[in-house]
Amino acid sequence: MVVITTSLMGSSFAVGKIGLSYVSPLLLVGIRFTLAGLLMIAIVTALKRPHPKRFTDWLRIFWIGAFQTAGVMGAIFLSLRTITAGESAILTFMNPLLVVVLGTLALRIRYRFVQWAGVLLGFIGVVVTMGTELQLEIGTFFGFSSAVFWAVATLLIKKWGARFDIWVLTAYQMLFGGILLLLGSALLEEAKLILNPASVSIIVWLAVMASIVQFAIWFYLLQKGNPGKVSAFLFLAPFFGVISGWWLLGEELGLTLLLGGSLIFIGIFLVNWPDKAAKTPIAE
């Protein structure tokens, strides 16, 4: 199940890049998460999962959706216009490294030496991976921005998440984020939508398999297993992003990409190394 959920996370980068041939970036990801959110809301409503009662709690869910869905996914799909799916996946899944940095600065969370070693190793990996392209591609900026948005969203969920049923939170943050992305598409891009069997299949796959199914399996594993051990396997997602880019798009697996990616994977693994003295992980 770990392999299934992380492969769905990683492969969505390559599938999304294919989808850009038919749909403009913000419109594609906006349709994906609006559809996924509506489907999940129907499910949580039918199952009578507890919904928030206060407006302030709905506002918290909105902000989580603004960062986790609109910010992260919008930046990812914009990055795919100019960098490879593998590079975008590696940059995006730097988020556990940034959680340590932002958590220290914003929430004054104390992290262990092994986690700071992981952060340092991860950033070295990014420099090795991107090389001279760091200043040449706007997609690199968007890819890194997606990691920043994800790290902020992780800290917001860490601070507010206990207030909500996790399935209700997931459903509505996807819907709110999807709507923001659709608004962004209307205001910021020249929308393109080519409907044919290929584009419809991509949208459905991204909305159902890469969103609802992936989230369902991931949260199931976090609930049933040790969250620290489960979170450590998140480093598999960028690996599948690189492999799927090579398999589906013919992207090159250069030496710097493999070496830098390996350093980032090891860094993320160290950041998520379980603390035997703690019942829950410090960073996810």
Side-chain angles (χ1 to χ4, degrees):
M1 294 182 75
V2 166
V3 171
I4 291 173
T5 187
T6 53
S7 64
L8 287 173
M9 289 182 195
S11 62
S12 63
F13 288 82
V15 175
K17 194 172 183 70
I18 296 172
L20 295 182
S21 300
Y22 308 101
V23 190
S24 51
L26 297 180
L27 181 59
L28 174 57
V29 74
I31 293 173
R32 168 189 176 180
F33 282 100
T34 300
L35 178 59
L38 290 172
L39 290 173
M40 276 206 73
I41 288 171
I43 293 172
V44 298
T45 301
L47 295 177
K48 297 182 179 180
R49 307 291 295 192
H51 284 55
K53 304 294 184 182
R54 300 178 179 178
F55 173 77
T56 52
D57 284 337
W58 284 108
L59 193 59
R60 290 184 176 97
I61 294 178
F62 171 83
W63 282 115
I64 291 173
F67 283 98
Q68 179 68 63
T69 294
V72 174
M73 297 301 167
I76 287 173
F77 276 70
L78 288 172
S79 75
L80 290 173
R81 295 184 302 177
T82 56
I83 63 175
T84 68
E87 290 168 339
S88 181
I90 288 173
L91 288 170
T92 296
F93 283 98
M94 281 179 57
N95 76 86
L97 311 178
L98 296 177
V99 166
V100 173
V101 177
L102 296 180
T104 299
L105 296 176
L107 301 182
R108 302 195 180 281
I109 300 173
R110 299 180 67 180
Y111 295 93
R112 292 167 286 134
F113 173 79
V114 67
Q115 292 175 299
W116 280 108
V119 171
L120 178 61
L121 197 61
F123 281 115
I124 292 174
V126 171
V127 174
V128 173
T129 299
M130 308 310 297
T132 58
E133 294 183 10
L134 278 173
Q135 297 180 346
L136 297 178
E137 300 291 350
I138 187 64
T140 304
F141 167 77
F142 283 119
F144 182 76
S145 296
S146 68
V148 174
F149 284 129
W150 197 341
V152 172
T154 298
L155 295 176
L156 291 179
I157 293 172
K158 190 178 187 72
K159 185 176 181 179
W160 297 334
R163 297 171 175 266
F164 310 111
D165 176 275
I166 193 65
W167 302 106
V168 171
L169 170 61
T170 301
Y172 283 95
Q173 70 90 12
M174 286 198 297
L175 177 64
F176 294 154
I179 293 173
L180 287 175
L181 288 163
L182 291 177
L183 290 174
S185 174
L187 296 174
L188 302 175
E189 70 180 4
E190 185 177 345
K192 176 182 70 174
L193 178 60
I194 301 174
L195 292 177
N196 55 36
S199 63
V200 172
S201 298
I202 289 170
I203 291 172
V204 171
W205 190 91
L206 289 173
V208 177
M209 296 301 297
S211 298
I212 295 176
V213 173
Q214 179 261 303
F215 272 117
I217 296 175
W218 184 251
F219 287 134
Y220 173 83
L221 291 172
L222 289 175
Q223 289 176 345
K224 296 297 183 180
N226 182 301
K229 292 182 179 179
V230 173
S231 295
F233 284 97
L234 191 64
F235 77 97
L236 287 173
F239 168 77
F240 283 118
V242 172
I243 294 300
S244 61
W246 166 75
W247 183 38
L248 297 176
L249 300 171
E251 296 176 352
E252 294 185 7
L253 299 179
L255 179 60
T256 55
L257 180 65
L258 294 175
L259 177 59
S262 297
L263 292 174
I264 293 171
F265 301 159
I266 296 171
I268 293 173
F269 185 82
L270 293 176
V271 165
N272 285 284
W273 191 276
D275 184 358
K276 294 181 179 180
K279 293 183 178 179
T280 56
I282 295 178
E284 297 181 14

